[in-house]
Amino acid sequence: ESDPGLRRECAAHSEIFLVKTLGRPIDNPIAGERYIQTVRHPVCAIAGQAFSNKKYTVEQLIEGRSISGDWSGFHRAWQTSGMPGLTARFEDIVEEPAEFIRKIGQFLKLECPDIVQTMPSSPASRDANGQAEGLSERWRKTLSDAQAQAIWSAHGPTASEMFGYSNPGVFKLSPET
């Protein structure tokens, strides 16, 4: 962001440059800049942040006191950035990695290697709620049911509207909530 000349040069180059960022998109995208984004259910995403970065409490992460800001604002910023983009749900990538690789190839106008073209899908085992086995309950190790509900209250409308996620009730919250 601090070097628009370098960004212009990279965007115009015939090779593809990928930059991983936790930040929000740049206000004035340069022609040729694109993004590939993975999105994760906000309950799982915030639980993961809380588990891996003890610097912030769950409540601070819900409010957006991290480098990325709040979950909803971060994802809305990228979706409305004006840049061409490819967005995929983490849970879908885990279930169908070959499909995501094919989509990246199409998005970047690259041929996929034959091994990807012929790669069979390998759906993950599903739990009773249709969630990929192992993904649906991991957040419980970090969050209370009340925290999961607070995350959903703050970010559920964006998660549902933009990405088709559903209330953490599908994660079998315990009866005391």
Side-chain angles (χ1 to χ4, degrees):
E1 181 176 343
S2 61
D3 190 346
L6 177 62
R7 287 183 36 237
R8 261 192 289 295
E9 186 179 328
C10 289
H13 206 279
S14 62
E15 291 184 43
I16 295 171
F17 295 89
L18 298 175
V19 177
K20 181 187 185 302
T21 180
L22 296 175
R24 293 183 183 224
I26 296 161
D27 288 334
N28 299 307
I30 294 171
E33 289 183 316
R34 299 173 277 179
Y35 70 89
I36 299 172
Q37 179 188 43
T38 57
V39 61
R40 187 141 193 219
H41 192 291
V43 172
C44 296
I46 290 174
Q49 286 179 318
F51 178 78
S52 64
N53 185 350
K54 305 293 185 203
K55 181 177 177 183
Y56 303 104
T57 66
V58 170
E59 291 69 27
Q60 289 172 322
L61 292 168
I62 293 170
E63 295 169 7
R65 293 192 222 162
S66 72
I67 190 168
S68 303
D70 72 280
W71 187 95
S72 295
F74 176 81
H75 290 294
R76 282 193 185 282
W78 281 102
Q79 297 297 307
T80 61
S81 69
M83 279 189 277
L86 172 64
T87 301
R89 294 176 0 152
F90 171 83
E91 297 81 359
D92 297 334
I93 296 168
V94 169
E95 184 174 337
E96 297 274 355
E99 180 61 23
F100 184 57
I101 293 168
R102 286 192 275 284
K103 286 180 180 180
I104 291 172
Q106 290 169 350
F107 178 68
L108 298 176
K109 297 180 175 83
L110 298 172
E111 285 189 40
C112 282
D114 290 340
I115 193 167
V116 175
Q117 296 294 353
T118 59
M119 203 172 165
S121 62
S122 54
S125 301
R126 298 264 177 203
D127 66 16
N129 294 311
Q131 297 292 317
E133 205 62 52
L135 293 176
S136 61
E137 297 292 327
R138 286 185 185 164
W139 61 271
R140 287 189 165 285
K141 294 177 182 169
T142 304
L143 302 178
S144 68
D145 289 349
Q147 287 172 318
Q149 290 293 13
I151 293 167
W152 187 256
S153 293
H155 303 294
T158 299
S160 294
E161 172 193 325
M162 296 183 87
F163 307 111
Y165 283 115
S166 53
N167 185 303
V170 301
F171 294 124
K172 299 181 196 171
L173 293 176
S174 60
E176 64 266 8
T177 30

